[in-house]
Amino acid sequence: MSKLVLARILQGIPVLLIVVTATFFLVRAAPGGPFDAERSLPAEVVKNLEKRYNLDAPVLHQYVDYLGNLVRGDFGPSFRYPNRSVTELIRTGMPITFELAFYAIVVAVVVGVMSGLIAAVRPNSLQDYLPMSLAMTGICLPAFLLGPILVLIFGIWLEWLPVSGWGYSPGDKILPSVTLGSAYAAYIARLTRAGMLEVLSQDFIRTARAKGLSMPGVVFRHALRGGLAPVVAFSGPAVAGLLTGSFVVETIFQIPGLGRFYVQAAFNRDYTMIMGTTILLSCLIVILNIVVDILAVWMNPRLRKVR
Amino acid sequence: MHRWLSRRGCTIRIIGAANNWRYLAPNCVGIIIIVFTLSGCDLGPTNVEQGNLEQILHLGNGTEPQDLDPHIVTGVTEHNIISALLEGLVGENPETLEPVPGMAEYWVVSADGREYTFFIRDQAKWSNGDPVTAQDFAWSWQRMLSPALAAEYAYQLYPIKNARAFNKGEIQSFSEVGVKAVDDKTLEVLLEHPTPYFLSLLAHYSTFPVHPPTILRFGEMDERGSAWTRPGNFVSNGPFKLKSWRLNYIIEVEKNAHYWDAETVKLAGIRFYPIDNIQTEERMFRTGALHATSTTPSEKIEVYQSKSPHLISISPYLGTYFYRFNVTRPPLDDPRVRLALSLTVDRQAIIDSVTKGGQIPAYSFTPPNTQGYFPPKSPVSYDLEHGRALLAEAGFSEGQGFPELELLYNTSDGHRRIAEAIQQMWKKGLGIDVRLVNTDWKVYLSRTNQLDYDISRAGWIGDYPDPNTFLDMMLSDGGNNRTGWRNNDYDELIERAATLTNQKERYQAFEQAEMILDREAPLLPIYTYTRVALRDPSVKNWFPNILDHHPYKYVYLQSD
Amino acid sequence: MPENMIDSLKSLEQIEFEEGRSLWNDAWVRLKRNRLAMFGLWVMLFLVSISLLTPWFAPYGYEIQDLELGASGPSLAHWLGTDTLGRDLLTRLMYGGRVSLLVGFAATAVSLAVGVIWGIVAGYMGGSVDAVMMRIVDILYALPFMIFVILLMVVFGQSFLLLFLAIGLVEWLTMARIVRGQVQALRRQEFVSAAIVTGLSSAQIMRRHILPNIMGPVIVYVTLTIPAVMLFEAFLSFLGLGVQPPQSSWGVLIATGVETMEEYPWLLIFPGLALSITLFALNFLGDGLRDALDPRSASGAGGVHE
């Protein structure tokens, strides 16, 4: 197993290198530079700015310099926020987004798997339709829609919860977490139901039932592992998607997280910040997919047989 | 082959077990409700209530500031914070924006209007207790003009003799620039031309002083983005000092005890919230998290006006919303076509039905009553007949043969709706088709800069209250012209105005220039901006003015 | 592997060959028996035919404004009300449906085709093929999508084809991962090993044995993807890709409706309803299809191991 993990980590290196290289040239090819502003700058000023940020060198030269700095762990200064380094921006935003994402995952997994299980155990009954209808409503209510609706109900009409902030006043973490988690909960519910139905109709379940095991026993001891396979496959990218997807929630609830930086960086053509967040995202994807693949093997012992 | 049987058997047994599962669903719902009620019991006093007790002002402030270095930043959000922290030679009257003594106790202007002598007050101190000196100003302006700093707003100091040449690196020695500290408290400034709005420039943050020892402690004089603007490092000379700065969240300032006029300052502190989403800002205001917003969603204007008019204020703002024509592309190279397009836009209808913020229909570029200047009567009005006639004259009778033009705007709901309304007006009025194209902000900038458009949406906000801040935009070689329009007579008039001392003669030159602009119509003015803001009645001494500047030293909080 | 099992597999192949048509017939019969699925099918047919007939049926033009009227609630003249520029919402919803359904189905089809093939091949082949294919997926996940779209628009200009491409480019990635996970599990099952022993080629096994067995999660994910794509289109039109005003789509109508939901709730409710109805119909249909196509519930087919 450890050999497998090591191999996968090694595979991550070319992935990172390709992403870094592609992104580096992509952002420079995109129209609009980091210093384009409503008021156009005198040519001299632009020249000075470009010199300051090493943008006057040939692109290949810039690329080699950037890789060199990267190896030393230096992501460079942000173009948009001149007195901040990319590392600092990421360091301030990341813990907040990770916390938000964690709560959202808890909401998504608990609600999603539960309702998926409830539905799958008795398909095509009220017990199936009710949670599945809720799940589908959840899919119809993406964060940009659910967020404002929840704020309106719980923040403005009922005055139960704050409409914005993160750790500023009690309870302000609830609405963002629910908002971010619910769309994923809906997906997970649907996928859980589908996966469970596949598994529950297989022979070994029948065998287990024949041996006298109770239904919950069968579900938890035998079926759950296999039934959650689609959910596990989905969760790798989904968790990485939370990082970028949290942008909407962070904007609606005025949360100083990384998602806002990630999207703003692209809009501002903040080259170094785009690079920094992209590198972070790719590391996350590489790691998450390793974890997910290990989880898949753990959940389905058959996968262990062949390397 | 007994699979189908097995499946059916399984299903039956599941039904039997289902009873155990039924309890789970209500439980989940129950837990969620409990969490909500527990946490939602007591939200405590709102920011506004608490702030009114402690004299802490909570302000919505657009986006996260780029930095707090007055010589590097360019935006309105930065202005709002920096004007609390730093003070220039002159301040602004909160109602009229007229220059009032700031760091300079008084000043003397020579008869030809080119020499200014500022006398800095003895009580002027930095927040660490150091005195503010004339050398601090000279040093700060040298920094602002240093080529290596690459200050975007360096041109604000260009009226000073040789400032432009120094900034462009044409001269190396700052001693040749018309700024001189005669002694600790006396600053002499020599201008290139008499510049009647020079004092207004000195109320702009780009001319504010910075604390030289602090800058040098964290880097070189002309270094961008050193750590000197961080809380704990920032040394300020204004009514407030920097207390904390949480990225994308809150910037907090507190009263500066060393400020020369600390007696006047009533507020104990201000919290600036960068809020990207204007709907979020409005909701925060509604729940008492903010004293005032930076703007108001247009759909909310009518609601506030009818239900709580005491919370909303609309005031004229020194800015023009307009469309640019790319005059290098036919058929827009024909002034008659441009005028025809301009004549068929019903500005009043746009204001009444789309923007709804009490904007003023604009037929000339410069807003009316810009420091006493009124643009001359424009040949443009809402006149369908005239517009059709002009288009026919240009060879496109009833819009026949008129190519499909592209209308470029940066993505925003407001711009989109205005563009959709105008698209229909042209379709109905002239029988021509226009295609709407929206892009993100940077692509939009890059395309307008390269004249890669037919018609593009634009806005221009004045830097200082003087027609020059608008009209010099359209100079043939102006970096912000972006229409391809060139006119030598126009250039001469603007350049002549810069050399005149007599305000009346200056304004006459501007009027003549504006008449050329109206006639040639490289721009299609749509409306003069207004500032529509929500504000709690407990905020006192907050006056509407055309720059939307609100010197915080006068503001205080009192709930009625 | 026992002799009789191989025999039964061979006979199974024969059944499939001989009754290929009747298998689909069976599925159709089963689907027809599922009332909910049929309901979903009829709703979808209804929506599609409305979309096709919109230019003849729409009560107004989608761009015709009445600035003085502005936003008004449902009335006799405007059944679903008007938007802030005084345009008929019903008309805009009908025209928007054309765009949304087209984008939803076409982009999903792109992502379905690419994702399923990619996932099956990677999952079935395993080893270094799998590693390379999945790392490509990782790379595409990590690239800054917004910049990518902006660049594509510069190169190719604004077009519908690009829209499908851009959406498909994103959506197939998750599909591929899900399919691969399923295939990896299936591959270890006896009936696949048995099929290998009978000498079927990899392509044949993937098509005949793997594909039918992963239909469940795939159908579910497809029915989830279609509405997600419709909403995603709204984001792309923010970047200038997607529908250009004065045209609209359900996603754009919803995104703008959110901002005025307190003042003009109908501008959010009706587009939201349109999307929800589509989603529910698709899900009913999807679940029915899944059951109908389930090889194990088909008489005689599949499920021979044990």
Side-chain angles (χ1 to χ4, degrees), chain B residues 340 384-385 387-403 426-433:
Chain B
L384 280 178
E385 288 310 312
R388 283 198 199 108
L390 274 178
L391 199 69
E393 217 181 292
F396 305 101
S397 170
E398 306 285 313
Q400 292 282 312
F402 199 82
W426 285 338
K427 172 92 190 158
K428 264 199 259 173
L430 298 174
I432 61 168
D433 285 311

Side-chain angles (χ1 to χ4, degrees), chain A residues 33 36 38-41 48 52 83-84 88 121-122 160 166 168 174 201 203 206 215 252 254 264, chain B residues 3 6 14 17 22 39-40 147 152 224 229-230 245 249 271 274 276 280 442 461 463 479-480 482:
Chain A
D36 282 346
E38 175 111 56
R39 269 134 229 255
S40 69
L41 298 178
N48 287 328
R52 166 79 175 80
N83 69 340
R84 311 270 170 181
E88 188 194 348
V121 168
R122 209 178 140 189
W160 284 1
W166 187 255
Y168 186 75
I174 295 177
S201 64
D203 296 330
R206 197 171 46 84
M215 194 60 209
I252 292 170
Q254 182 59 11
Q264 284 166 358
Chain B
R3 167 53 72 96
S6 74
I14 294 169
R22 220 167 258 163
S39 59
E152 273 110 313
R224 282 175 80 91
T229 49
R230 300 301 179 86
W245 182 354
Y249 201 36
R271 290 193 191 156
D276 299 324
T280 300
K442 291 282 184 177
I461 310 295
D463 289 324
N480 295 312
R482 293 175 189 166

Side-chain angles (χ1 to χ4, degrees), chain A residues 9-288:
Chain A
I9 291 173
L10 286 178
Q11 286 174 16
I13 293 171
V15 168
L16 264 179
L17 196 69
I18 293 174
V19 170
V20 167
T21 310
T23 309
F24 187 90
F25 292 103
L26 278 180
V27 294
R28 276 162 180 76
F35 306 117
D36 282 346
E38 175 111 56
R39 269 134 229 255
S40 69
L41 298 178
E44 296 82 9
V45 172
V46 173
K47 218 168 65 196
N48 287 328
L49 277 172
E50 287 182 341
K51 205 161 115 197
R52 166 79 175 80
Y53 292 106
N54 193 26
L55 290 175
D56 54 348
V59 180
L60 267 179
H61 206 274
Q62 290 179 38
Y63 174 66
V64 173
D65 284 352
Y66 183 81
L67 282 189
N69 290 336
L70 208 55
V71 171
R72 271 177 267 122
D74 180 7
F75 287 81
S78 159
F79 287 10
R80 166 74 188 177
Y81 305 107
N83 69 340
R84 311 270 170 181
S85 68
V86 170
T87 317
E88 188 194 348
L89 291 176
I90 291 178
R91 217 189 308 122
T92 53
M94 199 166 68
I96 294 166
T97 297
F98 277 18
E99 195 190 342
L100 172 63
F102 175 75
Y103 297 148
I105 292 166
V106 170
V107 170
V109 169
V110 170
V111 177
V113 171
M114 277 299 172
S115 42
L117 281 181
I118 293 170
V121 168
R122 209 178 140 189
N124 302 325
S125 69
L126 187 67
Q127 188 182 327
D128 178 13
Y129 297 143
L130 199 70
M132 280 309 107
S133 305
L134 276 174
M136 284 190 275
T137 318
I139 294 164
C140 284
L141 291 173
F144 73 80
L145 181 51
L146 184 60
I149 290 176
L150 287 181
V151 168
L152 201 64
I153 296 172
F154 294 102
I156 291 179
W157 292 344
L158 296 175
E159 295 186 5
W160 284 1
L161 294 168
V163 301
S164 68
W166 187 255
Y168 186 75
S169 45
D172 62 6
K173 293 182 181 177
I174 295 177
L175 289 184
S177 308
V178 172
T179 305
L180 186 57
S182 65
Y184 291 94
Y187 269 81
I188 290 178
R190 293 287 306 167
L191 288 172
T192 304
R193 178 181 179 276
M196 288 304 291
L197 284 181
E198 281 307 285
V199 172
L200 285 177
S201 64
Q202 280 184 14
D203 296 330
F204 72 94
I205 296 293
R206 197 171 46 84
T207 317
R209 289 289 289 152
K211 283 179 190 159
L213 272 171
S214 68
M215 194 60 209
V218 169
V219 168
F220 280 111
R221 216 163 300 157
H222 298 278
L224 200 55
R225 279 187 169 189
L228 286 186
V231 176
V232 171
F234 167 77
S235 62
V239 173
L242 282 175
L243 179 77
T244 46
S246 64
F247 159 72
V248 176
V249 173
E250 288 174 13
T251 310
I252 292 170
F253 292 96
Q254 182 59 11
I255 297 169
L258 197 59
R260 268 162 91 188
F261 283 127
Y262 180 77
V263 175
Q264 284 166 358
F267 279 128
N268 291 328
R269 305 290 191 276
D270 189 342
Y271 292 166
T272 44
M273 189 63 192
I274 296 174
M275 295 301 294
T277 44
T278 303
I279 291 168
L280 181 75
L281 186 65
S282 14
C283 290
L284 214 67
I285 286 168
V286 167
I287 295 167
L288 279 171

Side-chain angles (χ1 to χ4, degrees), chain B residues 87-92 99-104 107 118 199-200 202-203 208:
Chain B
E87 187 173 273
L89 286 168
V90 305
E92 286 168 322
V100 296
M103 284 292 113
W107 52 86
F118 296 93
L199 284 176
S200 299
L202 296 182
F208 286 0

Side-chain angles (χ1 to χ4, degrees), chain C residues 116-156:
Chain C
V116 168
I117 293 171
W118 199 273
I120 288 182
V121 172
Y124 184 81
M125 303 304 275
S128 50
V129 175
D130 174 44
V132 171
M133 287 178 85
M134 282 300 118
R135 293 305 79 75
I136 290 174
V137 171
D138 288 353
I139 289 168
L140 289 175
Y141 259 123
L143 284 179
F145 177 72
M146 265 164 52
I147 300 280
F148 207 72
V149 169
I150 288 167
L151 255 180
L152 282 178
M153 277 164 51
V154 173
V155 179
F156 298 106

